[in-house]
Amino acid sequence: MWTTGRMSNAKSRLGLGTSLYFWALMDLTTTVLSSTPMPGVELETLFSDRPQSHQRSKRSWVWNQFFVLEEYTGTDPLYVGKLHSDMDRGDGSIKYILSGEGAGIVFTIDDTTGDIHAIQRLDREERAQYTLRAQALDRRTGRPMEPESEFIIKIQDINDNEPKFLDGPYIATVPEMSPVGTSVIQVTATDADDPTYGNSARVVYSILQGQPYFSVDSKTGVIRTALMNMDREAKEYYEVIIQAKDMGGQLGGLAGTTTVNITLSDVNDNPPRFPQKHYQMSVLESAPISSTVGRVFAKDLDEGINAEMKYTIVDGDGADTFDINTDPNFQVGIITVKKPLSFESKKSYTLKVEGANPHLEMRFLNLGPFQDTTTVHISVEDVDEPPVFEPSFYFVEVPEDVTIGTTIQIISAKDPDVTNNSIRYSIDRSSDPGRFFYVDITTGALMTARPLDREEFSWHNITVLAMEMNNPSQVGSVAVTIKVLDVNDNAPEFPRFYEAFICENAKAGQLIQTVSAVDQDDPHNGQHFYYSLAPEAANNPNFTVRDNQDNTARILTRRSGFRQQEQSVFYLPILIADSGQPVLSSTGTLTIQVCSCNEDGHIMSCSPEAYMLPVSLSRGALIAILACIFVLLVLSNCHQL
């Protein structure tokens, strides 16, 4: 039995009754005899009645815990500790029972000695502790000697897991020219070992590849720039390898690595420069407004928004005649014609063009100025210009029922040269393979040559040519888009064959079919169809039509009691009219078959021949038929007697 008051208090707090206690039980946070007890150390030897046991009153003892190291690889079962009752006289009369988590599977107990062993390899990262229950029984009677007690076996950690970067590999960016110490990214490694015990999970970061450009904080894993004035234009991509080592980085610790791909993002630290200080360009005097004369380019080593350019004409005698715009895709300056040109009036122009960065960073202004200029010389060339159409594009609308030969548009072109040659018109036949149109050779009157059908071709895109009489090589062209307008020339009709089925016991007013219609026309306000019985069926006694006013109609029975034997099929003509001008209509036929149905209204047969055959009889009908047969048999026997 325990002899110290301290032991008695512990047993009382645990509710162990009067006699069951544990050997080799101790809290990991407590140091006994200057070391943590290993599995198999019996507390009976650690807590004898010696004076020094009362000198450790500041320590917090936990009496109901065992501790055992994980990853034991020996061949024999691993000793964990011992259960003992002070009622045990050593004669085998006490039987120790172990139950709870892992009992009999992970842990076993010698029911005579109370020794507990682990029989499986333990992994703290899979399970950190087990809660079990102990009981001492009278071996002869099986009667509990004391109440059941609960205790815990904690798995003691060893350093068997290396740090891992779960989010790696990493991708990061940092602006070029960043000051030394600029934070780039933080990497984090996790260690599955116990962070509360020893240094197994204390991780230290170091950089294996990436010096002298970057450094890493050994405690936080924050990567920072370590070199001044890193230039993206010199080197843009860096592959940095970071190591995380446990045991505080000490020798023997486990390590893991990850890759951090770092890209230097661009800043505007390079001014633009024209590779040419003089450009020579030429333009035909017939060049239309907004036509391109040429391109200039100021090179910028930066990229993206920092390489964006804005070009302007800052001086020159052609500042009012030409314009310049920036192509946002290629960052080039496009010089275009702003006003009509004439070789006879002015043969050359000079422009002074500036290219400048619109997005500047104040800290790099000392590298500027962030603009450059170049001179552009433009020569105007005299040419025999082809005929020019006015306007430069035609859009014509024409109804589809227009009469053949109707003039739908006058096409006009003129010779811009001083000679003002006569013009002859024609249609590019590749643009009108169906030959729906022709143009008067002298007047340019565009007329229809064939009937138009919007339902076949709703648009025509043709090209009209104009040729100088005295110089057939000078040919101008213009695009003419013709939209064919709809007229009401198609009657509505059923989109498919409609067939309906009704039961012989159908009631008056019963819905048997909903119908809809289609029309190839496309009126401006949309289609609206009207439904009614055809004139020849206006007084039909069997069925009627109800217009739903939503382009559909319901077909309803007008009476009840249809019979297959009398008439098995009805043909109902339905008149469908549209809302066009003029109104067009057609007649569609709904085929209605009379069918025999069961009591639930489900169709059984729509064939008149099948009507004579009993398809399905209820249980009551079968009983009635059998009863009749029985009566007939009885009467027949009586007659014979």
Side-chain angles (χ1 to χ4, degrees):
M1 294 182 64
W2 299 109
T3 57
T4 65
R6 183 175 183 178
M7 296 288 185
S8 300
N9 291 337
K11 290 171 63 178
S12 175
R13 287 194 301 271
L14 289 172
L16 299 181
T18 60
S19 57
L20 184 63
Y21 54 92
F22 307 94
W23 288 2
L25 309 183
M26 195 181 111
D27 186 78
L28 277 177
T29 59
T30 307
T31 302
V32 179
L33 301 181
S34 301
S35 65
T36 301
M38 299 301 291
V41 178
E42 298 181 357
L43 290 191
E44 186 179 41
T45 64
L46 297 179
F47 300 106
S48 59
D49 288 11
R50 289 183 293 177
Q52 62 265 30
S53 63
H54 299 282
Q55 297 174 3
R56 299 194 178 109
S57 59
K58 293 183 179 179
R59 295 179 179 174
S60 175
W61 302 106
V62 179
W63 302 98
N64 61 337
Q65 292 184 1
F66 287 103
F67 296 89
V68 58
L69 282 176
E70 66 172 333
E71 305 294 350
Y72 172 71
T73 58
T75 58
D76 296 329
L78 178 63
Y79 181 71
V80 177
K82 186 180 188 69
L83 298 178
H84 188 74
S85 172
D86 58 2
M87 300 178 67
D88 190 347
R89 296 184 296 276
D91 56 0
S93 62
I94 300 297
K95 181 179 181 180
Y96 296 97
I97 302 297
L98 188 67
S99 62
E101 298 173 342
I105 301 174
V106 181
F107 302 101
T108 61
I109 187 170
D110 187 311
D111 63 358
T112 301
T113 65
D115 291 336
I116 300 174
H117 289 83
I119 59 175
Q120 288 190 11
R121 183 184 66 84
L122 302 173
D123 187 348
R124 188 201 66 84
E125 285 70 46
E126 291 182 3
R127 185 158 186 170
Q129 68 178 36
Y130 295 81
T131 301
L132 296 104
R133 295 180 300 279
Q135 193 169 31
L137 304 177
D138 186 304
R139 187 180 295 275
R140 183 174 59 84
T141 65
R143 181 176 58 85
M145 302 298 293
E146 57 186 75
E148 186 179 60
S149 299
E150 186 176 88
F151 66 97
I152 295 173
I153 297 179
K154 287 194 173 182
I155 311 304
Q156 202 168 4
D157 187 51
I158 65 172
N159 188 21
D160 60 341
N161 291 277
E162 75 278 4
K164 294 181 180 179
F165 292 91
L166 301 181
D167 296 328
Y170 295 84
I171 297 175
T173 60
V174 63
E176 63 174 330
M177 300 296 177
S178 294
V180 173
T182 300
S183 175
V184 180
I185 192 175
Q186 183 177 24
V187 298
T188 302
T190 58
D191 194 312
D193 292 320
D194 189 352
T196 65
Y197 180 71
N199 292 327
S200 297
R202 190 161 73 87
V203 175
V204 173
Y205 300 94
S206 61
I207 185 167
L208 301 183
Q209 177 180 304
Q211 299 104 336
Y213 307 103
F214 300 94
S215 64
V216 64
D217 188 292
S218 62
K219 294 182 180 180
T220 65
V222 174
I223 299 175
R224 302 181 185 275
T225 57
L227 192 66
M228 291 183 60
N229 299 329
M230 284 194 290
D231 190 357
R232 183 198 65 84
E233 288 73 36
K235 184 176 181 180
E236 185 174 3
Y237 301 103
Y238 296 83
E239 185 179 75
V240 177
I241 298 178
I242 302 297
Q243 175 183 268
K245 190 173 184 181
D246 61 17
M247 298 299 292
Q250 297 176 8
L251 185 65
L254 303 179
T257 62
T258 189
T259 300
V260 184
N261 295 302
I262 301 176
T263 302
L264 295 185
S265 60
D266 188 62
V267 298
N268 194 8
D269 59 341
N270 292 279
R273 291 291 179 262
F274 282 103
Q276 295 176 236
K277 288 301 179 183
H278 296 277
Y279 287 85
Q280 185 66 47
M281 302 178 184
S282 61
V283 60
L284 299 176
E285 64 170 334
S286 59
I289 303 299
S290 299
S291 61
T292 299
V293 178
R295 292 171 171 81
V296 296
F297 175 63
K299 187 176 182 180
D300 194 319
L301 297 177
D302 297 318
E303 66 178 7
I305 190 174
N306 299 313
E308 288 186 5
M309 204 69 58
K310 180 176 177 57
Y311 295 93
T312 53
I313 298 174
V314 295
D315 201 1
D317 59 2
D320 295 333
T321 307
F322 299 93
D323 201 356
I324 189 168
N325 298 294
T326 302
D327 183 337
N329 296 319
F330 300 99
Q331 300 302 320
V332 297
I334 303 175
I335 299 175
T336 58
V337 177
K338 188 177 181 180
K339 291 182 178 180
L341 303 174
S342 174
F343 173 81
E344 290 74 23
S345 301
K346 189 172 178 60
K347 298 179 175 59
S348 65
Y349 296 87
T350 299
L351 304 175
K352 186 176 182 180
V353 175
E354 177 186 85
N357 288 147
H359 308 286
L360 302 178
E361 294 194 33
M362 299 300 295
R363 58 183 175 135
F364 296 122
L365 289 181
N366 61 321
L367 302 177
F370 280 75
Q371 66 267 347
D372 196 16
T373 59
T374 188
T375 301
V376 181
H377 301 281
I378 302 176
S379 300
V380 180
E381 297 182 0
D382 186 22
V383 294
D384 183 9
E385 299 173 85
V388 177
F389 286 92
E390 294 181 358
S392 59
F393 171 78
Y394 288 90
F395 175 75
V396 183
E397 293 182 327
V398 57
E400 62 178 322
D401 62 348
V402 65
T403 305
I404 296 175
T406 301
T407 298
I408 60 175
Q409 181 69 49
I410 300 296
I411 308 298
S412 176
K414 67 177 182 179
D415 185 0
D417 298 321
V418 178
T419 55
N420 195 17
N421 291 319
S422 298
I423 303 297
R424 292 293 180 265
Y425 298 94
S426 63
I427 293 178
D428 183 351
R429 284 306 169 192
S430 64
S431 67
D432 184 28
R435 297 183 178 270
F436 288 95
F437 306 95
Y438 72 93
V439 64
D440 187 276
I441 191 172
T442 58
T443 65
L446 182 62
M447 294 171 277
T448 56
R450 285 181 54 191
L452 302 179
D453 186 355
R454 187 202 66 84
E455 287 70 42
E456 182 180 7
F457 299 107
S458 58
W459 294 86
H460 296 270
N461 295 286
I462 66 173
T463 301
V464 176
L465 307 176
M467 180 185 67
E468 291 183 8
M469 281 290 294
N470 297 337
N471 187 0
S473 65
Q474 295 300 317
V475 179
S477 64
V478 68
V480 181
T481 296
I482 302 168
K483 180 180 180 181
V484 181
L485 302 177
D486 184 56
V487 298
N488 193 30
D489 58 348
N490 290 278
E493 59 187 7
F494 284 150
R496 59 183 177 85
F497 171 73
Y498 278 111
E499 184 177 21
F501 303 89
I502 61 171
C503 294
E504 290 181 309
N505 58 355
K507 305 299 182 182
Q510 181 174 319
L511 173 66
I512 61 171
Q513 182 70 48
T514 299
V515 297
S516 62
V518 294
D519 193 324
Q520 296 184 49
D521 293 321
D522 185 21
H524 180 70
N525 295 323
Q527 293 283 9
H528 188 81
F529 302 131
Y530 302 92
Y531 300 87
S532 61
L533 289 176
E536 63 270 22
N539 297 318
N540 190 295
N542 302 307
F543 307 99
T544 186
V545 175
R546 295 284 178 84
D547 195 323
N548 294 328
Q549 300 299 317
D550 61 356
N551 289 342
T552 66
R554 292 172 294 164
I555 311 302
L556 307 174
T557 56
R558 203 171 235 177
R559 65 180 178 86
S560 60
F562 294 87
R563 291 178 58 81
Q564 267 190 348
Q565 291 179 323
E566 293 178 359
Q567 185 171 350
S568 61
V569 180
F570 293 88
Y571 299 98
L572 185 67
I574 300 173
L575 182 68
I576 316 165
D578 62 20
S579 57
Q581 292 295 330
V583 175
L584 297 180
S585 63
S586 69
T587 299
T589 300
L590 173 63
T591 300
I592 305 171
Q593 291 197 36
V594 180
C595 304
S596 60
C597 304
N598 60 19
E599 295 176 354
D600 297 327
H602 296 139
I603 294 175
M604 298 192 313
S605 172
C606 295
S607 171
E609 293 80 3
Y611 184 85
M612 302 302 296
L613 299 176
V615 178
S616 176
L617 294 175
S618 65
R619 181 180 297 177
L622 288 173
I623 293 173
I625 292 173
L626 291 174
C628 291
I629 294 173
F630 177 76
V631 171
L632 290 174
L633 289 174
V634 171
L635 293 175
S636 176
N637 290 333
C638 291
H639 179 71
Q640 291 177 359
L641 293 175

